[in-house]
Amino acid sequence: MQPFLNIAQILVSITLIVLVLMQTKGAGLSGVFGSDTSVYKTRRGVERTLFNLTIVFAALFFVISLISVVAVR
């Protein structure tokens, strides 16, 4: 079961990296390092879907990590 968990964790982490990079696309390099803007913008359409998928994959990564640690013992 451990090799399956390792492969799943690698795939989820790669997907999570891609999702995070897709969110900062178009914000420029200053958006990556925390630009200071006072404009409030709601997420709609694809932005909202990417945001929700990022949360789901982050939670999935966390769960797989916990299961992996427990499975080793």
Side-chain angles (χ1 to χ4, degrees), residues 11-21 53-54 57-58 61:
L11 292 176
V12 169
S13 65
I14 291 171
T15 306
L16 191 58
I17 290 168
V18 169
L19 286 172
V20 168
L21 289 176
L53 278 175
T54 304
F57 274 92
F61 181 81

Side-chain angles (χ1 to χ4, degrees), residues 7-69:
I7 292 171
Q9 192 169 19
I10 290 170
L11 292 176
V12 169
S13 65
I14 291 171
T15 306
L16 191 58
I17 290 168
V18 169
L19 286 172
V20 168
L21 289 176
M22 286 177 64
Q23 284 183 11
T24 59
K25 186 177 180 183
L29 197 55
S30 64
V32 174
F33 297 109
S35 63
D36 187 26
T37 60
S38 60
V39 177
Y40 179 74
K41 189 174 85 169
T42 59
R43 292 180 177 93
R44 296 184 181 182
V46 176
E47 280 184 349
R48 187 174 188 169
T49 305
L50 283 175
F51 180 73
N52 290 334
L53 278 175
T54 304
I55 292 173
V56 168
F57 274 92
L60 185 63
F61 181 81
F62 181 72
V63 169
I64 290 174
S65 299
L66 286 178
I67 293 171
S68 178
V69 167

